[in-house]
Amino acid sequence: MQGETNRVIRLCLRHMALLRRCPHPGSSLQTTRSFSSLREGKRRGMLWKTLVGVSVGVPVAVGAHYAASDQRARRKTWIVIEGFGRFFRSLSVGIFISVDYWWTTNVALHGLDENSPSYHTEMSACHQRAAECMVEGAVKNGGIYIKLGQGLCSFNHLLPPEYIRTLQILEDKALNRKYKEVDALFQEDFNKTPEQLFKTFDYDPIAAASLAQVHKAELFDGTPVAVKVQYIDLRDRFDGDIRTLEILLDIVKFMHPSFGFRWVLKDLKGTLAQELDFENEARNSERCAEELRHFSFVVVPKVFWEQTSKRVLTAEFCHGCKINNVEEIKRQGLSLKDTADKLIRTFAEQIFYTGFIHADPHPGNVLVRPGPDKKAELVLLDHGLYEFLSQRDRVALCKLWRSIVLRDEAAMQKYSNALGVKEYFLFCEMLLQRPINMRELGLSNILSREETTYMRDMAMQRFESIMQVLKSMPRPMLLVFRNINTVRSINITLGAPVDRYFVMAKSAVRGWGKIQAERSRMLTGLWIFSWVRLTWESLKFELALRWEMAAMSLTRWFLGMLSYFGLASVDAEMYEYLR
């Protein structure tokens, strides 16, 4: 019995050995499937662990790096994060305005007469919504966005009035930063706090601009000063903001091919970057004061270099009201005509003679106060944005302005070509920012309703030609245009008490005379000859202008008399000319 049992056991062992060598097919498949499922499960587990590790580890690593970084490195980290916010905020503003205008013009106003009150009311509401959206976006983004909004304020003859009224908020609007940021900036630039650098320092800003805020302080000798403190993150975020604007302009160009303004931003990038250097601004202010010293009514605040850095500018504190504050100017007993005349002459001197031109003379940068002679005295502020116009271009511009006032069409074409522009008549109208009637010498400083309509229609219908003119002219002329247009806007706010075109033409003639005198080495040393030549050129211009006006008046009177006595018939076009 025991032997039989041993045989059975040996047979079972032999069968088990055979099964190990040649496993059953079904068993093999099942085993393979089980191993595959196991591997897939492991793979999924690894992927899940990796995702969890990245989602937890990256924030932890970034947080650890942020915690271990110094204050400046932390600020740069926030700037990168906030940069995405500014980009998407700007993009959303553009989309909102585009959709709103599309809906208003294609749906809400569909079928309505453009001259009906309902049409104007709905369109005005759309303009207002767009302007408020732009202001809100600019204030939240700050910096260069506010500066661009300020630049739009001077185009009050092209933009709807809703834009102008709303955007004017940006002239004195900016982000009000905390005390700690001011202290941190002073520590980085001076290794001192404001209390250590000044006898007194008021942390509450008296003014807030697009790039900085101004604090009132006192030097240790008691001198009152204005301390311009740049926003601490502005220099670090400048390149990112410029790239954001470039991307947005590329998107706009893709949607509207004729609306390509990226080249303007590219040309102005270097100039705008210089505005962030307050030491450069201080040098600009001293040069401006030196070149305008012969104008006794111009004041440029003195710079205190020991309390000045690339982000802090300390200058003499000057009282005064903004030049567009008509009521305050009158309250001080000053003449609006005298104020406007001095403003125009000051910047015309820069444009036509010195060539070193203040490119941002908006009302917040020009103060008015009574001078020693009880007449208007101008205080010029914010010298960060300047442009230099070469002598060759200044000579051409002087002669062009003179030829426009005298209605010398051949000279208008000649000197426009000298500035690189072929479409001379369009260029001249852009330069003066008004229509030019070649049959009349007079140029009203305030546009009529028809003239305003003409300028707005020209901006829309001849947009591509305008862009070509802007690209053709010398690059510094872009900011010269801004200067001329801003002064024009201020003159209108003051009631246009002086003939801006004539005053600038006289300055152009004087500037050309000075340039010609300086070109001659002999005359440069003999001031009497320079004076004689300058006086002669001015006299020639006055005589030419008055002769042309007298000839026009005489012709008008003569044709009127012929028409009155029935000796000649005058058609409708001639009646318009006589009027």
Side-chain angles (χ1 to χ4, degrees):
M1 186 70 181
Q2 185 176 358
E4 185 68 26
T5 303
N6 290 334
R7 281 198 304 270
V8 172
I9 292 173
R10 284 196 297 270
L11 179 62
C12 290
L13 291 173
R14 188 179 299 114
H15 286 171
M16 289 180 64
L18 290 172
L19 286 173
R20 288 193 188 99
R21 293 175 187 173
C22 302
H24 194 275
S27 173
S28 175
L29 180 61
Q30 187 175 359
T31 305
T32 302
R33 286 177 178 174
S34 64
F35 278 119
S36 298
S37 300
L38 182 61
R39 283 195 297 267
E40 187 176 349
K42 288 183 177 180
R43 200 178 296 119
R44 289 178 181 175
M46 288 296 295
L47 180 61
W48 174 250
K49 291 178 180 178
T50 302
L51 290 175
V52 172
V54 170
S55 60
V56 175
V58 170
V60 170
V62 172
H65 176 73
Y66 181 82
S69 302
D70 59 14
Q71 190 171 8
R72 181 170 292 186
R74 292 181 184 181
R75 186 169 67 242
K76 289 183 178 180
T77 302
W78 273 112
I79 288 171
V80 173
I81 297 172
E82 291 174 348
F84 287 101
R86 289 191 294 273
F87 172 77
F88 287 110
R89 185 181 296 117
S90 303
L91 186 61
S92 64
V93 167
I95 292 174
F96 173 81
I97 293 175
S98 298
V99 172
D100 193 13
Y101 271 108
W102 181 89
W103 177 267
T104 302
T105 55
N106 292 281
V107 179
L109 299 177
H110 182 69
L112 282 180
D113 182 10
E114 292 186 5
N115 296 319
S116 66
S118 300
Y119 184 94
H120 288 293
T121 301
E122 190 67 30
M123 206 66 214
S124 175
C126 184
H127 291 324
Q128 186 64 41
R129 289 193 298 271
E132 290 174 355
C133 188
M134 289 178 64
V135 168
E136 183 181 0
V139 171
K140 287 182 177 178
N141 284 346
I144 193 173
Y145 295 90
I146 291 180
K147 182 158 286 293
L148 293 175
Q150 290 173 346
L152 291 175
C153 293
S154 58
F155 291 93
N156 55 5
H157 59 308
L158 295 178
L159 292 174
E162 293 83 2
Y163 278 87
I164 303 305
R165 288 195 302 267
T166 309
L167 289 173
Q168 283 177 345
I169 299 172
L170 296 176
E171 289 183 354
D172 290 306
K173 188 74 175 179
L175 301 176
N176 189 356
R177 300 303 180 94
K178 299 178 181 179
Y179 297 172
K180 291 182 178 179
E181 290 193 13
V182 175
D183 283 340
L185 188 143
F186 271 82
Q187 285 287 356
E188 290 178 8
D189 284 18
F190 299 101
N191 289 322
K192 294 180 180 179
T193 62
E195 289 90 346
Q196 294 172 319
L197 207 60
F198 300 97
K199 182 179 180 181
T200 62
F201 184 88
D202 188 354
Y203 278 94
D204 292 323
I206 58 174
S210 57
L211 306 180
Q213 56 192 28
V214 181
H215 301 261
K216 191 172 182 180
E218 244 184 62
L219 299 180
F220 287 105
D221 62 1
T223 304
V225 292
V227 185
K228 184 177 178 180
V229 182
Q230 189 177 118
Y231 301 128
I232 194 168
D233 59 350
L234 204 58
R235 293 172 69 90
D236 295 327
R237 58 178 273 193
F238 177 78
D239 290 335
D241 285 345
I242 289 291
R243 282 195 294 272
T244 296
L245 291 171
E246 288 175 344
I247 293 172
L248 294 175
L249 289 175
D250 284 340
I251 295 173
V252 171
K253 186 177 181 180
F254 175 77
M255 298 172 62
H256 308 281
S258 61
F259 198 84
F261 274 105
R262 181 170 180 173
W263 64 273
V264 177
L265 188 63
K266 180 180 178 181
D267 287 337
L268 296 181
K269 182 178 178 179
T271 307
L272 291 172
Q274 290 180 7
E275 195 174 6
L276 299 179
D277 184 352
F278 285 179
E279 290 179 349
N280 179 68
E281 179 177 345
R283 290 188 292 270
N284 288 346
S285 67
E286 290 184 339
R287 179 174 175 180
C288 173
E290 175 64 21
E291 292 181 346
L292 297 179
R293 67 183 186 278
H294 55 286
F295 284 158
S296 59
F297 54 81
V298 173
V299 175
V300 178
K302 176 186 175 183
V303 175
F304 294 93
W305 283 97
E306 290 185 6
Q307 292 81 20
T308 295
S309 68
K310 288 189 176 295
R311 295 186 294 177
V312 177
L313 175 62
T314 303
E316 173 188 4
F317 187 89
C318 295
H319 293 278
C321 68
K322 291 170 61 175
I323 196 167
N324 62 349
N325 191 341
V326 175
E327 295 302 320
E328 182 61 22
I329 293 174
K330 290 180 178 179
R331 193 192 67 78
Q332 295 182 62
L334 302 175
S335 165
L336 294 179
K337 181 177 181 180
D338 181 52
T339 301
D341 178 73
K342 288 175 176 176
L343 173 76
I344 295 168
R345 285 166 54 199
T346 297
F347 292 114
E349 182 78 1
Q350 290 186 330
I351 292 170
F352 297 119
Y353 176 54
T354 69
F356 191 60
I357 302 160
H358 195 310
D360 195 20
H362 68 78
N365 290 338
V366 183
L367 305 182
V368 183
R369 67 185 188 184
D373 57 357
K374 305 302 181 183
K375 294 183 179 180
E377 187 174 73
L378 305 182
V379 181
L380 304 186
L381 307 175
D382 196 351
H383 300 269
L385 192 60
Y386 266 73
E387 189 59 272
F388 182 75
L389 195 62
S390 69
Q391 188 180 87
R392 174 182 172 277
D393 291 337
R394 291 201 307 274
V395 169
L397 189 59
C398 287
K399 293 183 177 181
L400 176 62
W401 199 281
R402 179 181 183 274
S403 64
I404 294 173
V405 173
L406 293 176
R407 300 299 192 276
D408 186 347
E409 189 165 2
M412 288 166 60
Q413 183 174 7
K414 177 182 177 181
Y415 297 117
S416 295
N417 291 340
L419 289 168
V421 180
K422 293 182 179 179
E423 291 198 51
Y424 69 94
F425 199 81
L426 175 61
F427 178 55
C428 292
E429 288 189 326
M430 290 169 60
L431 187 63
L432 267 63
Q433 289 296 307
R434 63 157 296 113
I436 298 175
N437 188 341
M438 295 301 292
R439 299 173 303 181
E440 295 181 3
L441 283 180
L443 288 169
S444 173
N445 286 274
I446 299 179
L447 301 186
S448 65
R449 180 178 299 176
E450 293 77 13
E451 289 171 331
T452 301
T453 302
Y454 170 86
M455 293 299 292
R456 287 178 179 169
D457 289 344
M458 181 184 77
M460 291 186 293
Q461 297 170 7
R462 304 192 64 187
F463 184 79
E464 291 186 8
S465 298
I466 291 173
M467 291 295 292
Q468 187 58 46
V469 168
L470 293 175
K471 289 180 181 179
S472 301
M473 66 186 189
R475 288 294 175 262
M477 284 293 296
L478 286 173
L479 292 179
V480 173
F481 264 61
R482 176 175 177 171
N483 178 294
I484 292 173
N485 198 43
T486 305
V487 172
R488 176 200 61 80
S489 178
I490 295 174
N491 185 46
I492 291 174
T493 302
L494 295 176
V498 296
D499 186 344
R500 180 176 68 92
Y501 307 104
F502 183 65
V503 172
M504 290 190 70
K506 290 177 69 174
S507 296
V509 172
R510 283 197 299 269
W512 180 77
K514 290 178 181 178
I515 292 172
Q516 291 300 108
E518 289 178 355
R519 280 180 172 178
S520 172
R521 293 183 178 179
M522 180 186 71
L523 297 181
T524 300
L526 302 175
W527 65 269
I528 186 64
F529 290 103
S530 300
W531 179 83
V532 169
R533 181 164 190 170
L534 177 60
T535 304
W536 172 241
E537 291 296 337
S538 300
L539 181 61
K540 281 199 304 182
F541 172 72
E542 292 271 5
L543 291 174
L545 182 61
R546 297 188 184 281
W547 171 256
E548 290 291 337
M549 293 180 69
M552 293 279 284
S553 299
L554 183 61
T555 303
R556 197 176 291 116
W557 176 83
F558 181 69
L559 291 175
M561 293 299 294
L562 290 178
S563 176
Y564 179 78
F565 289 108
L567 299 177
S569 60
V570 183
D571 57 17
E573 186 177 355
M574 184 58 72
Y575 270 118
E576 178 65 22
Y577 171 77
L578 292 174
R579 190 178 66 136

